[in-house]
Amino acid sequence: MEISIWVSLEYNPGSNSSSDNLLHVRAVGHNDTIHYVWSTIGAPTVLLVYTGSQNSSLHVNWTKLLSPSPSGAIHIEPASSVLYSSAVIFAKVFEYNGVNTSDLLKVPEDDFYPTYNLANFTWESLGGKINETMLTATFQGVSSSPHEAFGNGSISFQVTAYEESSRNPRLPHLLHTANCSKVSFAVDGVPPRGNHSRFALEIVTVEEREECKRLESFRSIDDEYTPTIFEMAQLVSVPDNHSTMSSFFQWKTTAYSSQHPERADTIHCQYYPLQTTNCTIPRSSIAHAYFGEELEKHHGVAAINISFGSEDSEAYDEKRYLSWSALIGLGEPPKDTFSTLVIAILAVGLGTPVVLLIAGSIAALFTQKKRYSEYEPIN
């Protein structure tokens, strides 16, 4: 099902200030709309709201949004048009010594460096970082702690909206539809706090009412678009009796160590079990402005960690760059299928032996029949 046919980007709707970042991506379909609200007011967060109207609109109460109690500051009108909503929060970045193991579950507590809490970062203005032609925008931030010297480095989230189905031209060549957007997480030039530093990202999801997310994994023998990578992972919402809509958060299990990635720049990417109990949502996030306070009590909350790098791969310190991409969207996640080229290669590779076998069998039968026909019984 494809919904979006026209996409627009709006920066800080209803505000003349550029000191805070809120980007509204509006994807309008034939009789519905997907609203993506990206913001670094607090922890980097995206709201996904689906409505059954072409005319639904975003409303932001900026005074309330920037207050200690932002509940209700963000809403969609008319409220009756809202059919589904969810949120993805990028909460923390972990740095740890990966010299002995890259598995977060096996890393000793003493091997973790102080956590980067993204809600406490200082984020540059989006002004000048929005490309309305390419439908992209880049949120770039640095730690605001005086004890965490970033130098010229930064942590960033680049978002990309789509108007049609296609495949991203850059590795990992994610297949997308018009019903989703892409987010690219990057650690660029941040001084590592150890010679064998690895990084991990904590992601928190919020579902309306008490719906929940499910972690799925798919493997394929086809690595045509992402060489040596055979696994796709995704979080999909499990609709309850009150909703028929769902959303997804999908990624390939790979990251890269270059701004212009090639196969040689591949970094192992590992995800961990989905946590659905005792999850903590950053107190500062636009998720509270839309869903209200006490999210953990009234909504479905889940968290997952994703780490980058393995014991046998180069450490972050060698290139000081890390990037990872994922898709967030509505409905069924995109599914990779064999391309025409791969099907043709398989057909030739598997079909040729079969043809030769059949031809050989026919030749053998013909030869045997000919021998019988030349036999003359002795009187």
Side-chain angles (χ1 to χ4, degrees), residues 87-337:
V88 176
I89 305 168
F90 302 95
K92 301 173 183 177
V93 173
F94 302 105
E95 183 181 353
Y96 58 97
N97 185 338
V99 64
N100 295 318
T101 178
S102 61
D103 189 333
L104 278 180
L105 303 179
K106 298 178 181 178
V107 177
E109 186 175 346
D110 292 342
D111 283 352
F112 281 92
Y113 301 102
T115 300
Y116 290 121
N117 189 335
L118 297 180
N120 298 332
F121 268 42
T122 299
W123 299 90
E124 294 183 7
S125 170
L126 270 183
K129 298 181 182 295
I130 299 176
N131 187 324
E132 295 191 29
T133 302
M134 302 300 293
L135 300 177
T136 64
T138 303
F139 298 88
Q140 191 169 10
V142 298
S143 175
S144 56
S145 171
H147 305 293
E148 298 169 349
F150 264 42
N152 293 324
S154 66
I155 288 178
S156 65
F157 294 87
Q158 182 184 71
V159 302
T160 305
Y162 300 110
E163 291 182 308
E164 60 185 7
S165 297
S166 185
R167 187 178 293 277
N168 195 277
R170 291 168 56 90
L171 284 170
H173 300 305
L174 293 173
L175 177 67
H176 64 80
T177 68
N179 293 347
C180 64
S181 293
K182 185 184 76 168
V183 57
S184 296
F185 163 72
V187 180
D188 185 3
V190 175
R193 290 174 284 186
N195 294 331
H196 301 280
S197 284
R198 307 289 183 195
F199 290 92
L201 177 65
E202 180 185 272
I203 299 171
V204 180
T205 65
V206 181
E207 290 290 315
E208 58 185 3
R209 293 183 287 272
E210 295 183 0
E211 296 180 14
C212 59
K213 276 281 197 291
R214 179 176 64 231
L215 176 61
E216 298 178 343
S217 173
F218 297 95
R219 293 182 179 273
S220 170
I221 63 171
D222 182 15
D223 67 340
E224 176 186 5
Y225 297 106
T226 316
T228 72
I229 305 301
F230 300 93
E231 184 181 9
M232 177 81 79
Q234 59 192 29
L235 298 176
V236 295
S237 55
V238 182
D240 61 14
N241 296 329
H242 303 284
S243 174
T244 59
M245 298 304 300
S246 63
S247 64
F248 63 86
F249 186 79
Q250 182 188 69
W251 67 96
K252 286 194 174 183
T253 55
T254 182
Y256 297 94
S257 60
S258 171
Q259 294 185 19
H260 306 285
E262 298 179 355
R263 177 177 175 176
D265 303 312
T266 300
I267 298 175
H268 175 68
C269 168
Q270 183 174 346
Y271 58 88
Y272 299 85
L274 184 67
Q275 302 296 317
T276 56
T277 58
N278 300 321
C279 299
T280 302
I281 296 179
R283 298 313 307 166
S284 180
S285 164
I286 62 167
H288 297 284
Y290 181 81
F291 289 104
E293 300 300 329
E294 298 185 328
L295 287 179
E296 297 88 342
K297 292 184 179 180
H298 306 295
H299 298 81
V301 178
I304 190 170
N305 290 329
I306 300 174
S307 65
F308 312 100
S310 60
E311 297 87 344
D312 57 354
S313 64
E314 63 185 18
Y316 165 81
D317 187 43
E318 295 185 35
K319 293 185 178 179
R320 297 200 176 191
Y321 186 84
L322 163 71
S323 69
W324 171 79
S325 299
L327 297 175
I328 177 173
L330 184 75
E332 291 292 325
K335 292 182 180 180
D336 271 324
T337 57

